[in-house]
Amino acid sequence: MKRVIVGLSGGVDSSVAAYLLKEQGYEVIGLFMKNWHDDSVTISDECPWLEDSNDAMLVADKLGIPFQTVDLSVQYKERIVDYMFNEYEKGRTPNPDVLCNREIKFDVFMDIAMDLGADYVATGHYCRKSTIEKDGKEINQLLAGKDNNKDQSYFLCQLSQDQLAKALFPIGELTKPEVREIAKAQDLITAEKKDSQGLCFIGKVRLPDFLQQQLKPKEGVIVEVEDSLEVYNQEQPEFTSKENELAFLAKKPEYALSDGKVVGKHQGAHYFTKGQRKGLAVGGTKEPLFVIETDVEENVIYTGQGKNHPGLLRNVLFVSNDELHWIREDLALNEGETMDVMARIRYRQPLEKATLHKVASGLYVEFQNKQSAITEGQFVAWYNDDELLGSGVIS
């Protein structure tokens, strides 16, 4: 009998995952990860992890499976929280959920599971896994979940073949309503529970408050840039090669104070991210202001009016070699090769047509249509049909 350790988060998805595995004849053990101690940054008085671990325990009890809690808060702080601060200070916008899966759920947690004699680790992610044979070798495929509204393959875009080999995603074939139906039928306490918001496992954290505790506020100016700025309307030079053209198109404009007018003040450029609309507190513009660039060195936020402001739109981005990751290592491009894919630069964004271009220093992703707010530090992931082939950090 194969042993599976399920990461029970206290939500409906992982509860049903555990139930399904038990039905399929696995020996199932539930494990709740505690990743956070500092209650001073959670929004409400309710302690989310206590409530969640309690729910997880009740589900395990109902299913008649062993249950325990593991405290991973030290590793979480080192690998996720410290990394996030570091990225924000550099003016990049990290994605803690992608990292949490790569570093915590499928690494630290997986090691604990293997020490407990597990054959597999399972989570309540809406995605699927498939295995194919190629040149006599088994290759694991990461596929989108059946529920188009809930497909979470993007969050797993940094997993490796080794991690995938030991992973199970029992609810990948189901839609969210079907999952809730099963939970109701089995009388699981999590059946009606709302989906969790906030940082992976920290519960309801106000990110700005959380950051403010660590990153000191410092007042700076908000500058509005007109869409008639010269840099948006310059003639494209003649390019001697495709790579030169891609490098040109991937380069974001450099802004200076003289490029616009000061329209307000802010408490720290590192609290803002590209494409952000809320929190600027500047009124009186015809269209809402969006952040088009943050300069953490000079502590200036550059904004533009409307979601079609040219400062928000670009169709090429770059991933450097050390931040490039292929789930399908067998399909990794060599220098000079290209591949047509579907890609997204954020979760819940519809897939867009793009071409990958491998160069010596990394990989260019050239979208057919301009993308809004390509944000450094976020992940771009590319697909062939519903298979996620690889991903990288936008540089």
Side-chain angles (χ1 to χ4, degrees):
M1 204 172 175
K2 297 268 189 189
R3 178 178 290 180
V4 185
I5 306 264
V6 183
L8 281 180
S9 66
V12 66
D13 298 334
S14 60
S15 307
V16 171
Y19 164 73
L20 292 172
L21 289 166
K22 202 179 167 212
E23 288 294 286
Q24 289 160 17
Y26 290 102
E27 179 199 350
V28 182
I29 298 173
L31 219 55
F32 177 85
M33 287 173 258
K34 182 176 181 199
N35 289 355
W36 199 243
H37 282 306
D38 182 357
D39 295 328
S40 64
V41 291
T42 42
I43 287 177
S44 48
D45 296 336
E46 69 207 60
C47 181
W49 72 263
L50 257 180
E51 190 188 318
D52 288 342
S53 68
N54 201 31
D55 288 348
M57 185 172 71
L58 290 168
V59 165
D61 195 45
K62 182 94 185 166
L63 296 176
I65 60 174
F67 174 80
Q68 67 185 79
T69 299
V70 286
D71 190 332
L72 304 182
S73 41
V74 173
Q75 293 96 323
Y76 193 87
K77 186 182 176 313
E78 281 170 7
R79 296 198 191 193
I80 310 296
V81 179
D82 293 351
Y83 171 86
M84 281 173 64
F85 287 132
N86 196 4
E87 289 284 279
Y88 276 110
E89 280 183 314
K90 287 190 207 143
R92 299 196 348 164
T93 306
N95 187 318
D97 293 302
V98 173
L99 285 160
C100 185
N101 284 317
R102 181 182 81 190
E103 300 285 337
I104 303 292
K105 288 184 208 168
F106 290 93
D107 189 17
V108 179
F109 183 75
M110 196 169 248
D111 288 346
I112 292 170
M114 296 303 146
D115 287 346
L116 291 170
D119 297 288
Y120 298 105
V121 162
T123 62
H125 281 103
Y126 286 85
C127 63
R128 293 170 299 144
K129 179 178 106 169
S130 174
T131 313
I132 54 171
E133 195 163 300
K134 183 172 165 184
D135 309 330
K137 249 177 64 179
E138 269 207 351
I139 292 175
N140 296 292
Q141 298 177 292
L142 176 63
L143 308 171
K146 273 277 157 65
D147 186 337
N148 280 335
N149 291 318
K150 290 291 296 179
D151 166 38
Q152 291 174 318
S153 56
Y154 175 83
F155 290 132
L156 302 170
C157 68
Q158 287 277 297
L159 296 193
S160 65
Q161 281 292 319
D162 285 351
Q163 289 171 316
L164 264 181
K166 301 191 196 91
L168 295 176
F169 306 113
I171 64 169
E173 299 286 346
L174 302 172
T175 64
K176 186 78 188 203
E178 289 171 328
V179 167
R180 288 208 186 275
E181 279 306 304
I182 293 172
K184 257 204 218 94
Q186 296 307 314
D187 198 22
L188 300 178
I189 190 167
T190 52
E192 304 287 338
K193 195 168 170 181
K194 286 219 299 281
D195 288 355
S196 65
Q197 293 299 319
L199 286 182
C200 162
F201 284 120
I202 293 189
K204 308 177 180 84
V205 171
R206 281 210 187 94
L207 203 54
D209 297 357
F210 184 48
L211 291 169
Q212 261 152 353
Q213 293 191 346
Q214 312 285 331
L215 304 171
K216 294 287 161 267
K218 71 183 182 211
E219 194 173 86
V221 293
I222 299 174
V223 173
E224 184 190 334
V225 177
E226 296 286 333
D227 56 12
S228 55
L229 192 69
E230 201 177 304
V231 65
Y232 303 138
N233 302 305
Q234 58 187 0
E235 288 280 298
Q236 280 204 17
E238 291 284 315
F239 299 109
T240 50
S241 69
K242 183 66 183 174
E243 188 176 339
N244 289 356
E245 182 190 354
L246 291 165
F248 175 83
L249 293 172
K251 213 170 138 52
K252 53 183 196 173
E254 303 270 321
Y255 297 103
L257 283 173
S258 55
D259 289 336
K261 58 174 195 271
V262 173
V263 291
K265 288 199 160 60
H266 62 80
Q267 290 308 309
H270 43 257
Y271 300 134
F272 290 83
T273 179
K274 249 196 269 257
Q276 183 172 335
R277 190 177 84 184
K278 296 190 173 83
L280 287 166
V282 177
T285 55
K286 201 166 115 199
E287 287 198 75
L289 286 183
F290 288 82
V291 176
I292 57 175
E293 190 58 80
T294 58
D295 182 340
V296 289
E297 298 291 308
E298 299 293 327
N299 198 29
V300 178
I301 293 175
Y302 292 97
T303 62
Q305 274 192 49
K307 59 179 190 295
N308 292 322
H309 189 282
L312 279 175
L313 304 170
R314 257 192 10 252
N315 73 324
V316 181
L317 62 84
F318 182 68
V319 174
S320 65
N321 279 331
D322 57 349
E323 300 199 289
L324 175 59
H325 174 75
W326 289 88
I327 291 181
R328 288 291 303 272
E329 295 154 6
D330 57 309
L331 299 179
L333 295 178
N334 297 312
E335 193 182 328
E337 292 181 337
T338 63
M339 181 190 285
D340 289 332
V341 294
M342 300 297 282
R344 56 168 57 108
I345 54 171
R346 53 180 69 86
Y347 174 54
R348 297 195 73 87
Q349 178 198 24
L351 287 169
E352 302 258 341
K353 281 188 171 165
T355 304
L356 308 179
H357 302 263
K358 184 72 184 80
V359 297
S361 55
L363 181 87
Y364 285 103
V365 182
E366 180 183 26
F367 285 91
Q368 196 175 319
N369 300 316
K370 293 207 163 178
Q371 300 297 304
S372 177
I374 290 177
T375 306
E376 299 94 294
Q378 291 277 311
F379 290 87
V380 55
W382 48 91
Y383 294 72
N384 176 23
D385 293 329
D386 59 358
E387 181 182 2
L388 201 164
L389 304 178
S391 66
V393 182
I394 299 169
S395 57

